[in-house]
Amino acid sequence: MKIYAISDLHLSFSRTPDPANWGDSPEYKPMAEVDESWAAHASRIYENWTRIVTDDDVVLVGGDISWAMRLEEARPDLHFLGLLPGLIIAVQGNHDYWWQSISRVRALAPPNMRLIQNDHIRLGDLVICGTRGWLCPNGAFFKDEDMKIYKRELIRLRNSLESVQRPAEEIIVIMHYMPTNEKHEYSGFIEIFQEYGVKHVVYGHLHARACRYRLPDQAWGINFYLTSADYLSFTPRLIMNWPPS
């Protein structure tokens, strides 16, 4: 089994797409209108994903799945994910406004998709935890009102890790936000990772020039993976083979 990751899919299909005819799959918010490097990005994700991922593999998705505002509007985008091979494990992103009631979202999700919120997914001795995350204190855009959300996300991360009752050989955490500020200062998220022995953290949210703020590949004894779709040229990134050879 291979563990891949890609985040920030930013889908906006008006109806379930047909991979045999992308021209008949209209998008209500084409990303190419914001950045031309995103032209035909959904079909590129599909082609790259189906080329390398098998049904025995896992793909971690760090949020910003759909531009939909309401759950019903996200249905075509979720159906698109159902067309893809592998088990998809996802957390919420800051633009996933359609992700409100976790029970309703899970009911609409395709059979190959699992969603994390205050809990975890176990794959034998490998456990996947996660939360959306938020801006971190002392960052350039952090405001007083962000502290409440930041502290709530720390609680959600701890809840996810605390839900792992049986020992795990390895824990991977999925987040949407980078778990530090842009200066890479120690944060409450890093403290919790260290407390629970987390060695692998997948995150997204950073695009274009903002990718220069990404964390180093390793810090505080933790491996960090930026997996924003555009940063990865719309190709899922291999995180690890499991079990390790």
Side-chain angles (χ1 to χ4, degrees):
M1 177 173 65
K2 291 181 169 62
I3 311 297
Y4 293 93
I6 185 170
S7 69
D8 302 84
L9 306 182
H10 288 295
L11 303 172
S12 64
F13 288 114
S14 299
R15 56 177 174 267
T16 302
D18 177 4
N21 184 11
W22 292 108
D24 194 37
S25 305
E27 298 172 277
Y28 56 84
K29 191 169 184 178
M31 286 294 291
E33 293 182 357
V34 179
D35 184 339
E36 63 181 14
S37 70
W38 284 74
H41 83 282
S43 63
R44 292 158 68 189
I45 289 171
Y46 179 88
E47 290 165 6
N48 292 327
W49 187 313
T50 56
R51 175 173 49 84
I52 63 175
V53 178
T54 74
D55 285 334
D56 295 326
D57 298 330
V58 175
V59 182
L60 312 178
V61 177
D64 277 7
I65 297 165
S66 170
W67 281 113
M69 298 298 291
R70 295 186 294 275
L71 180 56
E72 185 58 32
E73 293 173 346
R75 185 187 293 271
D77 298 331
L78 294 174
H79 283 182
F80 169 77
L81 297 179
L83 300 175
L84 298 168
L87 175 66
I88 299 171
I89 301 176
V91 297
Q92 183 181 19
N94 64 306
H95 288 298
D96 289 320
Y97 297 112
W98 53 274
W99 185 319
Q100 297 293 325
S101 163
I102 186 62
S103 59
R104 291 186 61 225
V105 174
R106 284 172 172 158
L108 190 62
N112 65 329
M113 190 174 188
R114 305 289 181 271
L115 307 172
I116 294 177
Q117 185 170 302
N118 292 311
D119 53 10
H120 69 279
I121 304 295
R122 179 177 284 272
L123 306 169
D125 288 332
L126 175 66
V127 166
I128 313 298
C129 294
T131 192
R132 177 186 62 182
W134 198 248
L135 300 173
C136 289
N138 205 31
F141 300 101
F142 192 87
K143 300 179 176 62
D144 290 344
E145 55 265 32
D146 289 313
M147 184 60 74
K148 179 179 179 180
I149 306 174
Y150 167 75
K151 289 182 176 179
R152 184 184 66 196
E153 287 299 312
L154 291 178
I155 293 171
R156 286 183 168 177
L157 174 61
R158 185 176 295 278
N159 287 345
S160 178
L161 289 160
E162 194 65 28
S163 71
V164 183
Q165 297 296 314
R166 293 185 286 117
E169 185 175 337
E170 197 75 76
I171 298 174
I172 301 176
V173 167
I174 319 171
M175 295 183 65
H176 178 63
Y177 283 86
M178 184 171 69
T180 70
N181 60 30
E182 73 280 1
K183 293 172 279 190
H184 301 164
E185 295 176 333
Y186 193 81
S187 72
F189 295 116
I190 305 301
E191 182 179 5
I192 293 173
F193 296 154
Q194 292 182 320
E195 179 181 345
Y196 286 86
V198 174
K199 300 298 183 185
H200 301 276
V201 176
V202 168
Y203 67 98
H205 187 63
L206 302 180
H207 300 292
R209 293 188 63 198
C211 291
R212 69 186 186 276
Y213 296 119
R214 67 188 183 277
L215 282 160
D217 292 343
Q218 188 173 72
W220 302 289
I222 303 167
N223 297 305
F224 295 101
Y225 310 87
L226 173 58
T227 61
S228 302
D230 54 331
Y231 180 70
L232 300 182
S233 298
F234 307 100
T235 304
R237 175 180 179 178
L238 179 64
I239 303 301
M240 65 173 65
N241 293 299
W242 192 263
S245 57

